[in-house]
Amino acid sequence: MNFNFWPFSRQRHKLPEPVPVRARFIRTDAVGKGDLRLQSTLCRLGRAPDNNIRFDNDSVSNYHAEIYYLPDGSFQICDLNSTNGTWINGKRIQSQMLGNGDVVELGEVRLHFRVDHL
């Protein structure tokens, strides 16, 4: 999948840089799952063990979505052609900017996005 509108190129041979702001998901579909923190400028979500954030739920694709921390300090989520889609605030998306408080759904997994500025 190649997207030309991202203002940076993905360099797979380098490790992603640490995120300079604190961003996290609060999982609300399962009790006790807690905060899921974004640790780098590129964060992949899915069921496969090599994802940055992994979900043990059959409704989530192996490689479901990616979140990018952009140079202007914003976050963008992109669906990776997942089976059940990526939904933001009840709307199915292919790619969208994330805002503080957005509700993200990956299959049956429901997450609330939070940004805590330092």
PDB file of all heavy atoms in Angstrom, residues 26-51:
ATOM      1  N   ILE A  26      -7.287   4.321  25.332  1.00  0.00           N
ATOM      2  CA  ILE A  26      -7.936   3.711  26.483  1.00  0.00           C
ATOM      3  C   ILE A  26      -8.900   2.681  25.911  1.00  0.00           C
ATOM      4  O   ILE A  26      -9.824   3.023  25.165  1.00  0.00           O
ATOM      5  CB  ILE A  26      -8.688   4.753  27.330  1.00  0.00           C
ATOM      6  CG1 ILE A  26      -7.709   5.824  27.836  1.00  0.00           C
ATOM      7  CG2 ILE A  26      -9.413   4.068  28.488  1.00  0.00           C
ATOM      8  CD1 ILE A  26      -8.384   7.022  28.459  1.00  0.00           C
ATOM      9  N   ARG A  27      -8.660   1.422  26.212  1.00  0.00           N
ATOM     10  CA  ARG A  27      -9.504   0.357  25.674  1.00  0.00           C
ATOM     11  C   ARG A  27     -10.754   0.236  26.527  1.00  0.00           C
ATOM     12  O   ARG A  27     -10.676   0.034  27.734  1.00  0.00           O
ATOM     13  CB  ARG A  27      -8.727  -0.961  25.645  1.00  0.00           C
ATOM     14  CG  ARG A  27      -9.471  -2.043  24.936  1.00  0.00           C
ATOM     15  CD  ARG A  27      -8.609  -3.206  24.595  1.00  0.00           C
ATOM     16  NE  ARG A  27      -9.443  -4.237  23.965  1.00  0.00           N
ATOM     17  CZ  ARG A  27      -9.004  -5.418  23.637  1.00  0.00           C
ATOM     18  NH1 ARG A  27      -7.751  -5.748  23.869  1.00  0.00           N
ATOM     19  NH2 ARG A  27      -9.816  -6.289  23.081  1.00  0.00           N
ATOM     20  N   THR A  28     -11.916   0.350  25.886  1.00  0.00           N
ATOM     21  CA  THR A  28     -13.180   0.338  26.621  1.00  0.00           C
ATOM     22  C   THR A  28     -14.044  -0.874  26.312  1.00  0.00           C
ATOM     23  O   THR A  28     -15.120  -1.010  26.894  1.00  0.00           O
ATOM     24  CB  THR A  28     -13.985   1.621  26.329  1.00  0.00           C
ATOM     25  OG1 THR A  28     -14.242   1.694  24.925  1.00  0.00           O
ATOM     26  CG2 THR A  28     -13.226   2.853  26.793  1.00  0.00           C
ATOM     27  N   ASP A  29     -13.602  -1.758  25.425  1.00  0.00           N
ATOM     28  CA  ASP A  29     -14.413  -2.931  25.098  1.00  0.00           C
ATOM     29  C   ASP A  29     -14.123  -4.117  26.004  1.00  0.00           C
ATOM     30  O   ASP A  29     -14.862  -5.086  26.004  1.00  0.00           O
ATOM     31  CB  ASP A  29     -14.198  -3.345  23.641  1.00  0.00           C
ATOM     32  CG  ASP A  29     -12.790  -3.846  23.409  1.00  0.00           C
ATOM     33  OD1 ASP A  29     -11.861  -3.061  23.617  1.00  0.00           O
ATOM     34  OD2 ASP A  29     -12.619  -5.026  23.036  1.00  0.00           O
ATOM     35  N   ALA A  30     -13.036  -4.064  26.764  1.00  0.00           N
ATOM     36  CA  ALA A  30     -12.655  -5.180  27.633  1.00  0.00           C
ATOM     37  C   ALA A  30     -12.165  -4.631  28.970  1.00  0.00           C
ATOM     38  O   ALA A  30     -11.371  -3.698  29.013  1.00  0.00           O
ATOM     39  CB  ALA A  30     -11.562  -6.011  26.973  1.00  0.00           C
ATOM     40  N   VAL A  31     -12.635  -5.218  30.035  1.00  0.00           N
ATOM     41  CA  VAL A  31     -12.277  -4.769  31.377  1.00  0.00           C
ATOM     42  C   VAL A  31     -10.812  -5.112  31.667  1.00  0.00           C
ATOM     43  O   VAL A  31     -10.340  -6.198  31.333  1.00  0.00           O
ATOM     44  CB  VAL A  31     -13.193  -5.439  32.423  1.00  0.00           C
ATOM     45  CG1 VAL A  31     -12.785  -5.047  33.834  1.00  0.00           C
ATOM     46  CG2 VAL A  31     -14.639  -5.074  32.157  1.00  0.00           C
ATOM     47  N   GLY A  32     -10.092  -4.176  32.259  1.00  0.00           N
ATOM     48  CA  GLY A  32      -8.735  -4.435  32.713  1.00  0.00           C
ATOM     49  C   GLY A  32      -7.656  -4.363  31.658  1.00  0.00           C
ATOM     50  O   GLY A  32      -6.523  -4.735  31.915  1.00  0.00           O
ATOM     51  N   LYS A  33      -7.961  -3.889  30.464  1.00  0.00           N
ATOM     52  CA  LYS A  33      -6.946  -3.807  29.413  1.00  0.00           C
ATOM     53  C   LYS A  33      -6.109  -2.543  29.522  1.00  0.00           C
ATOM     54  O   LYS A  33      -5.037  -2.461  28.958  1.00  0.00           O
ATOM     55  CB  LYS A  33      -7.590  -3.900  28.020  1.00  0.00           C
ATOM     56  CG  LYS A  33      -8.283  -5.215  27.771  1.00  0.00           C
ATOM     57  CD  LYS A  33      -7.288  -6.358  27.784  1.00  0.00           C
ATOM     58  CE  LYS A  33      -8.008  -7.669  27.494  1.00  0.00           C
ATOM     59  NZ  LYS A  33      -7.132  -8.814  27.469  1.00  0.00           N
ATOM     60  N   GLY A  34      -6.600  -1.521  30.225  1.00  0.00           N
ATOM     61  CA  GLY A  34      -5.821  -0.338  30.553  1.00  0.00           C
ATOM     62  C   GLY A  34      -5.431   0.546  29.392  1.00  0.00           C
ATOM     63  O   GLY A  34      -6.015   0.493  28.327  1.00  0.00           O
ATOM     64  N   ASP A  35      -4.405   1.372  29.646  1.00  0.00           N
ATOM     65  CA  ASP A  35      -3.891   2.309  28.651  1.00  0.00           C
ATOM     66  C   ASP A  35      -2.930   1.604  27.704  1.00  0.00           C
ATOM     67  O   ASP A  35      -2.102   0.804  28.129  1.00  0.00           O
ATOM     68  CB  ASP A  35      -3.133   3.451  29.331  1.00  0.00           C
ATOM     69  CG  ASP A  35      -4.057   4.421  30.043  1.00  0.00           C
ATOM     70  OD1 ASP A  35      -5.281   4.308  29.891  1.00  0.00           O
ATOM     71  OD2 ASP A  35      -3.537   5.302  30.736  1.00  0.00           O
ATOM     72  N   LEU A  36      -3.036   1.949  26.437  1.00  0.00           N
ATOM     73  CA  LEU A  36      -2.130   1.444  25.419  1.00  0.00           C
ATOM     74  C   LEU A  36      -1.387   2.653  24.864  1.00  0.00           C
ATOM     75  O   LEU A  36      -1.960   3.457  24.137  1.00  0.00           O
ATOM     76  CB  LEU A  36      -2.916   0.727  24.321  1.00  0.00           C
ATOM     77  CG  LEU A  36      -3.842  -0.387  24.802  1.00  0.00           C
ATOM     78  CD1 LEU A  36      -4.767  -0.827  23.679  1.00  0.00           C
ATOM     79  CD2 LEU A  36      -3.027  -1.550  25.327  1.00  0.00           C
ATOM     80  N   ARG A  37      -0.135   2.800  25.210  1.00  0.00           N
ATOM     81  CA  ARG A  37       0.640   3.996  24.859  1.00  0.00           C
ATOM     82  C   ARG A  37       1.335   3.852  23.505  1.00  0.00           C
ATOM     83  O   ARG A  37       1.875   2.803  23.195  1.00  0.00           O
ATOM     84  CB  ARG A  37       1.663   4.286  25.927  1.00  0.00           C
ATOM     85  CG  ARG A  37       1.006   4.556  27.266  1.00  0.00           C
ATOM     86  CD  ARG A  37       1.866   5.414  28.167  1.00  0.00           C
ATOM     87  NE  ARG A  37       1.140   5.719  29.373  1.00  0.00           N
ATOM     88  CZ  ARG A  37       0.372   6.794  29.539  1.00  0.00           C
ATOM     89  NH1 ARG A  37       0.254   7.654  28.576  1.00  0.00           N
ATOM     90  NH2 ARG A  37      -0.258   7.001  30.676  1.00  0.00           N
ATOM     91  N   LEU A  38       1.308   4.941  22.731  1.00  0.00           N
ATOM     92  CA  LEU A  38       2.057   4.999  21.493  1.00  0.00           C
ATOM     93  C   LEU A  38       3.500   5.317  21.850  1.00  0.00           C
ATOM     94  O   LEU A  38       3.759   6.285  22.565  1.00  0.00           O
ATOM     95  CB  LEU A  38       1.493   6.070  20.569  1.00  0.00           C
ATOM     96  CG  LEU A  38       0.268   5.657  19.738  1.00  0.00           C
ATOM     97  CD1 LEU A  38      -0.924   5.367  20.601  1.00  0.00           C
ATOM     98  CD2 LEU A  38      -0.028   6.694  18.707  1.00  0.00           C
ATOM     99  N   GLN A  39       4.424   4.511  21.371  1.00  0.00           N
ATOM    100  CA  GLN A  39       5.817   4.628  21.778  1.00  0.00           C
ATOM    101  C   GLN A  39       6.731   5.204  20.705  1.00  0.00           C
ATOM    102  O   GLN A  39       7.885   5.474  20.980  1.00  0.00           O
ATOM    103  CB  GLN A  39       6.341   3.240  22.185  1.00  0.00           C
ATOM    104  CG  GLN A  39       5.569   2.607  23.315  1.00  0.00           C
ATOM    105  CD  GLN A  39       5.799   3.284  24.642  1.00  0.00           C
ATOM    106  OE1 GLN A  39       6.875   3.803  24.895  1.00  0.00           O
ATOM    107  NE2 GLN A  39       4.793   3.305  25.484  1.00  0.00           N
ATOM    108  N   SER A  40       6.238   5.354  19.466  1.00  0.00           N
ATOM    109  CA  SER A  40       7.116   5.802  18.387  1.00  0.00           C
ATOM    110  C   SER A  40       6.322   6.571  17.339  1.00  0.00           C
ATOM    111  O   SER A  40       5.100   6.657  17.407  1.00  0.00           O
ATOM    112  CB  SER A  40       7.824   4.605  17.752  1.00  0.00           C
ATOM    113  OG  SER A  40       6.879   3.749  17.169  1.00  0.00           O
ATOM    114  N   THR A  41       7.026   7.111  16.346  1.00  0.00           N
ATOM    115  CA  THR A  41       6.393   7.912  15.299  1.00  0.00           C
ATOM    116  C   THR A  41       5.564   7.073  14.346  1.00  0.00           C
ATOM    117  O   THR A  41       4.734   7.598  13.623  1.00  0.00           O
ATOM    118  CB  THR A  41       7.455   8.685  14.498  1.00  0.00           C
ATOM    119  OG1 THR A  41       8.405   7.752  13.985  1.00  0.00           O
ATOM    120  CG2 THR A  41       8.147   9.718  15.377  1.00  0.00           C
ATOM    121  N   LEU A  42       5.789   5.777  14.323  1.00  0.00           N
ATOM    122  CA  LEU A  42       4.991   4.846  13.535  1.00  0.00           C
ATOM    123  C   LEU A  42       4.556   3.720  14.461  1.00  0.00           C
ATOM    124  O   LEU A  42       5.391   3.045  15.067  1.00  0.00           O
ATOM    125  CB  LEU A  42       5.806   4.274  12.372  1.00  0.00           C
ATOM    126  CG  LEU A  42       5.188   3.083  11.630  1.00  0.00           C
ATOM    127  CD1 LEU A  42       3.845   3.456  11.001  1.00  0.00           C
ATOM    128  CD2 LEU A  42       6.146   2.576  10.579  1.00  0.00           C
ATOM    129  N   CYS A  43       3.262   3.534  14.586  1.00  0.00           N
ATOM    130  CA  CYS A  43       2.736   2.502  15.486  1.00  0.00           C
ATOM    131  C   CYS A  43       1.738   1.660  14.706  1.00  0.00           C
ATOM    132  O   CYS A  43       0.738   2.175  14.211  1.00  0.00           O
ATOM    133  CB  CYS A  43       2.057   3.169  16.683  1.00  0.00           C
ATOM    134  SG  CYS A  43       1.452   2.004  17.898  1.00  0.00           S
ATOM    135  N   ARG A  44       2.028   0.371  14.581  1.00  0.00           N
ATOM    136  CA  ARG A  44       1.138  -0.539  13.853  1.00  0.00           C
ATOM    137  C   ARG A  44       0.271  -1.300  14.851  1.00  0.00           C
ATOM    138  O   ARG A  44       0.758  -1.782  15.868  1.00  0.00           O
ATOM    139  CB  ARG A  44       1.953  -1.494  12.995  1.00  0.00           C
ATOM    140  CG  ARG A  44       1.077  -2.264  12.016  1.00  0.00           C
ATOM    141  CD  ARG A  44       1.880  -3.080  11.047  1.00  0.00           C
ATOM    142  NE  ARG A  44       2.828  -3.891  11.792  1.00  0.00           N
ATOM    143  CZ  ARG A  44       4.016  -4.246  11.322  1.00  0.00           C
ATOM    144  NH1 ARG A  44       4.420  -3.842  10.151  1.00  0.00           N
ATOM    145  NH2 ARG A  44       4.807  -5.005  12.056  1.00  0.00           N
ATOM    146  N   LEU A  45      -1.021  -1.425  14.524  1.00  0.00           N
ATOM    147  CA  LEU A  45      -1.988  -2.111  15.372  1.00  0.00           C
ATOM    148  C   LEU A  45      -2.521  -3.325  14.640  1.00  0.00           C
ATOM    149  O   LEU A  45      -2.814  -3.248  13.445  1.00  0.00           O
ATOM    150  CB  LEU A  45      -3.157  -1.186  15.708  1.00  0.00           C
ATOM    151  CG  LEU A  45      -2.854   0.063  16.513  1.00  0.00           C
ATOM    152  CD1 LEU A  45      -2.474   1.209  15.604  1.00  0.00           C
ATOM    153  CD2 LEU A  45      -4.049   0.442  17.326  1.00  0.00           C
ATOM    154  N   GLY A  46      -2.672  -4.425  15.365  1.00  0.00           N
ATOM    155  CA  GLY A  46      -3.241  -5.618  14.749  1.00  0.00           C
ATOM    156  C   GLY A  46      -3.126  -6.821  15.649  1.00  0.00           C
ATOM    157  O   GLY A  46      -2.746  -6.722  16.813  1.00  0.00           O
ATOM    158  N   ARG A  47      -3.438  -7.991  15.079  1.00  0.00           N
ATOM    159  CA  ARG A  47      -3.461  -9.239  15.837  1.00  0.00           C
ATOM    160  C   ARG A  47      -2.115  -9.965  15.811  1.00  0.00           C
ATOM    161  O   ARG A  47      -1.812 -10.745  16.703  1.00  0.00           O
ATOM    162  CB  ARG A  47      -4.566 -10.130  15.279  1.00  0.00           C
ATOM    163  CG  ARG A  47      -5.005 -11.225  16.203  1.00  0.00           C
ATOM    164  CD  ARG A  47      -6.197 -11.992  15.667  1.00  0.00           C
ATOM    165  NE  ARG A  47      -5.852 -12.745  14.475  1.00  0.00           N
ATOM    166  CZ  ARG A  47      -6.450 -12.608  13.291  1.00  0.00           C
ATOM    167  NH1 ARG A  47      -7.435 -11.761  13.143  1.00  0.00           N
ATOM    168  NH2 ARG A  47      -6.070 -13.324  12.258  1.00  0.00           N
ATOM    169  N   ALA A  48      -1.282  -9.716  14.812  1.00  0.00           N
ATOM    170  CA  ALA A  48       0.001 -10.419  14.680  1.00  0.00           C
ATOM    171  C   ALA A  48       0.952 -10.017  15.807  1.00  0.00           C
ATOM    172  O   ALA A  48       0.912  -8.876  16.286  1.00  0.00           O
ATOM    173  CB  ALA A  48       0.636 -10.114  13.331  1.00  0.00           C
ATOM    174  N   PRO A  49       1.808 -10.930  16.230  1.00  0.00           N
ATOM    175  CA  PRO A  49       2.689 -10.657  17.380  1.00  0.00           C
ATOM    176  C   PRO A  49       3.713  -9.545  17.151  1.00  0.00           C
ATOM    177  O   PRO A  49       4.201  -8.967  18.105  1.00  0.00           O
ATOM    178  CB  PRO A  49       3.404 -11.981  17.635  1.00  0.00           C
ATOM    179  CG  PRO A  49       2.951 -12.935  16.611  1.00  0.00           C
ATOM    180  CD  PRO A  49       1.909 -12.299  15.766  1.00  0.00           C
ATOM    181  N   ASP A  50       4.030  -9.205  15.906  1.00  0.00           N
ATOM    182  CA  ASP A  50       5.044  -8.177  15.669  1.00  0.00           C
ATOM    183  C   ASP A  50       4.478  -6.763  15.554  1.00  0.00           C
ATOM    184  O   ASP A  50       5.194  -5.827  15.213  1.00  0.00           O
ATOM    185  CB  ASP A  50       5.895  -8.517  14.445  1.00  0.00           C
ATOM    186  CG  ASP A  50       5.092  -8.600  13.163  1.00  0.00           C
ATOM    187  OD1 ASP A  50       3.870  -8.857  13.238  1.00  0.00           O
ATOM    188  OD2 ASP A  50       5.685  -8.426  12.083  1.00  0.00           O
ATOM    189  N   ASN A  51       3.206  -6.567  15.865  1.00  0.00           N
ATOM    190  CA  ASN A  51       2.622  -5.219  15.899  1.00  0.00           C
ATOM    191  C   ASN A  51       3.100  -4.478  17.141  1.00  0.00           C
ATOM    192  O   ASN A  51       3.424  -5.088  18.152  1.00  0.00           O
ATOM    193  CB  ASN A  51       1.093  -5.296  15.904  1.00  0.00           C
ATOM    194  CG  ASN A  51       0.539  -5.646  14.552  1.00  0.00           C
ATOM    195  OD1 ASN A  51       0.656  -4.882  13.616  1.00  0.00           O
ATOM    196  ND2 ASN A  51      -0.061  -6.826  14.440  1.00  0.00           N
TER     197      ASN A  51
END
